[in-house]
Amino acid sequence: MQGLMMDFQLTIPSLLRRAEQLFPNKSIVTRLPDKSVHRHSYKEFAVRTRRLAVALKQLGVRPGDRVATLCWNHYQHLEAYFGIPSMGGVLHTLNLRLSPDDLEYIVNHADDQVILVDQVLWPLFEKFRSKVHPRHVIVIPNGGQPIPAGALNYEELLAGADPSQYEPYDHDENAAAAMCYTSGTTGRPKGVVYSHRSIVLHSMVCAFVDGMGIREADVVLPVVPMFHVNAWGLPFTCTMVGTTQVFPGPHLDAASLLQLFDNEKVTITAGVPTIWLGILNALDADPHKYNLSRLRHMVVGGSAAPRAMIAGFEQRHNLHVLHAWGMTETSPLGTICTLTSEVAQLDEEQKLDYRAKQGIPSVLVEMRARGDEGIIPNDGVSMGELEVRGPWIASSYYHNDEPDNKFTDDGWFRTGDIVTIDALGYMEIRDRSKDVIKSGGEWISSVLLEGAIMGHPAVAEAAVFAIPSEKWMERPMACVVLKQGQTTTADEIRKFLEPKFAKFQLPDAIEFVNEIPKTSVGKFKKSVLRERYKDYKVA
Ligand code: ADP
């Protein structure tokens, strides 16, 4: 017997309709490249989005065509997030921090038919423009500067389109709505294709109280770029629930962000730990400069949020970090570290230990971890590679020519993350499989060491990675950036670590550096460090 409910399609046009009908007066705020602030209402957003959908159709974009964006976080990018899928196109966000070579590869691999480019990013586009072949290039203008020859003006295009001609593409929830390439730390970047259905379900679960807890009354500022896994889905989730949305544009330094949190009374924000480490330093230096009393939580993910950072925000500034884990392939929400009532009864130190874990799987995501001898027990000690499945987890890569073993025969995605899972279901990342340090027969977790070193009061950032060792195969080494005006020594850091680690786990070498190389999305680039120190001889 079948159920007798409507087969209502879960599509992005349905989110847009809701936003326009219920929240016409809510605001979308953007800080522009010149730091002036642009504000408009959801009503204006919805009408402009329908104009974009109509304009794209008039340019010949057909359902399934990829429309790329090379843009910062701002209101026109939000229009693209909705306008492109709402007419059947596939929103393809390009990571503007990738090399021109990678961008060329990705645009050609995705066969992008149209590219929307921020005028401030035109110099980057110029670097690969001659090697890609979109039918149209649309420039989002910056002030009154003339649009480059051969490109269309986004604002003129919208002005010339009639929003009443809009026809929503909402009959196939399984149609592609968006795509995003992995950053290709191993091999070529790979395309992940999200469907309307996966985005709608993901948005609903992100909004859950036990998810990111996003409500209509919130003011949400995604620091995470809109080119990094759809800004973790926040533009879709926020539009669905009708929050005020604040976009920071290109200014992502700590002072500019803090000022914007204060000015716009932001309640929820999200980004990678490197951003928050900078913000914590700025707050420690001048704790009363900004009024952040409305900030309910900061969602931190992308790499491990150090325990000391979570504690620093909480204890010194009364600010709450919500730790989450995900990947491009998981839309990205996989786990989130809300505390269950059982964990909430623990003492403060134990609770902090939990909050530094990556958390429990979100609703509809299932996880397990596999060691050498099969699925590992959930005992918080055994380590294995995390596998996940769920309605917003990739089932394959787009036109992948390279062999991959990322998908198991029984339908799970292999994440490449080495984890423990405890009896309460909390997952903790110990490493990415390629970053694990194999010393003798033992595995040493670079993530745990980094978190502990970053707990030292003089340390701003620390990356731990393997260096070759004749005797042990690999040994851990740490590169450490000190906070401004602070000093310490390698010996002092080792002493600081000793109570928390077995002797064999302590780094053999600790180097003080000015900066740790970062990936295009702000994670430590350990491959560069491994290469730089591959001949390092331990004293
Ligand atoms: P890339 O890191 O290659 O740019 P993704 O943004 O998809 O691509 O990153 C996914 C990876 O980031 C995960 O596999 C995991 O290793 C890491 N990651 C994400 N969130 C966390 C977290 N909270 N703690 C530790 N690692 C994380």
Side-chain angles (χ1 to χ4, degrees), residues 82 98 129 204 227 444 446 464 497:
F82 280 83
L98 291 181
R129 183 185 182 187
M204 290 172 67
F227 55 75
I444 299 176
S446 66
V464 173
L497 295 174

Side-chain angles (χ1 to χ4, degrees), residues 73-146:
N73 290 14
H74 50 56
Y75 66 100
Q76 290 109 329
H77 207 173
L78 183 69
E79 289 157 9
Y81 261 56
F82 280 83
I84 296 166
S86 289
M87 55 77 61
V90 181
L91 163 76
H92 175 200
T93 52
L94 296 171
N95 179 343
L96 55 90
R97 297 214 176 89
L98 291 181
S99 68
D101 277 358
D102 273 343
L103 286 165
E104 172 201 331
Y105 170 81
I106 289 171
V107 169
N108 287 332
H109 188 266
D111 193 18
D112 293 326
Q113 297 293 305
V114 177
I115 301 189
L116 270 64
V117 184
D118 275 356
Q119 189 151 19
V120 289
L121 293 171
W122 188 260
L124 169 63
F125 182 56
E126 282 282 19
K127 292 190 179 143
F128 62 95
R129 183 185 182 187
S130 63
K131 298 177 188 137
V132 296
H133 316 285
R135 280 188 282 138
H136 302 282
V137 178
I138 302 173
V139 167
I140 298 180
N142 180 30
Q145 287 175 32

Side-chain angles (χ1 to χ4, degrees), residues 183 185 228 301-304 323-328 358 417 432 521 523:
S183 53
T185 29
H228 188 203
S303 40
H323 197 187
W325 167 88
M327 307 178 69
T328 306
Q358 281 66 21
D417 284 332
R432 291 188 102 163
V521 288
K523 305 181 190 195

Side-chain angles (χ1 to χ4, degrees), residues 62-265:
R62 289 155 313 174
D65 282 353
R66 270 74 64 204
V67 178
T69 59
L70 188 61
C71 301
W72 292 104
N73 290 14
H74 50 56
Y75 66 100
Q76 290 109 329
H77 207 173
L78 183 69
E79 289 157 9
Y81 261 56
F82 280 83
I84 296 166
S86 289
M87 55 77 61
V90 181
L91 163 76
H92 175 200
T93 52
L94 296 171
N95 179 343
L96 55 90
R97 297 214 176 89
L98 291 181
S99 68
D101 277 358
D102 273 343
L103 286 165
E104 172 201 331
Y105 170 81
I106 289 171
V107 169
N108 287 332
H109 188 266
D111 193 18
D112 293 326
Q113 297 293 305
V114 177
I115 301 189
L116 270 64
V117 184
D118 275 356
Q119 189 151 19
V120 289
L121 293 171
W122 188 260
L124 169 63
F125 182 56
E126 282 282 19
K127 292 190 179 143
F128 62 95
R129 183 185 182 187
S130 63
K131 298 177 188 137
V132 296
H133 316 285
R135 280 188 282 138
H136 302 282
V137 178
I138 302 173
V139 167
I140 298 180
N142 180 30
Q145 287 175 32
I147 297 297
L152 299 164
N153 181 325
Y154 179 85
E155 291 299 334
E156 285 174 9
L157 212 61
L158 260 58
D162 174 1
S164 68
Q165 306 268 302
Y166 165 68
E167 288 171 61
Y169 184 86
D170 58 3
H171 57 273
D172 182 5
E173 63 179 17
N174 287 310
M179 79 188 298
C180 196
Y181 278 70
T182 63
S183 53
T185 29
T186 51
R188 281 295 202 178
K190 296 187 185 64
V192 175
V193 183
Y194 311 103
S195 65
H196 285 257
R197 173 187 156 85
S198 73
I199 290 174
V200 171
L201 289 172
H202 181 261
S203 305
M204 290 172 67
V205 172
C206 284
F208 271 12
V209 178
D210 280 338
M212 295 188 205
I214 298 174
R215 305 177 304 208
E216 181 272 337
D218 275 311
V219 179
V220 178
L221 187 156
V223 181
V224 49
M226 290 168 93
F227 55 75
H228 188 203
V229 211
N230 301 330
W232 300 350
L234 285 168
F236 294 118
T237 306
C238 293
T239 305
M240 178 184 78
V241 300
T243 70
T244 299
Q245 300 182 57
V246 182
F247 294 108
H251 302 285
L252 299 175
D253 58 288
S256 304
L257 288 171
L258 283 162
Q259 198 60 62
L260 201 56
F261 295 159
D262 183 346
N263 291 353
E264 300 299 332
K265 302 184 175 57

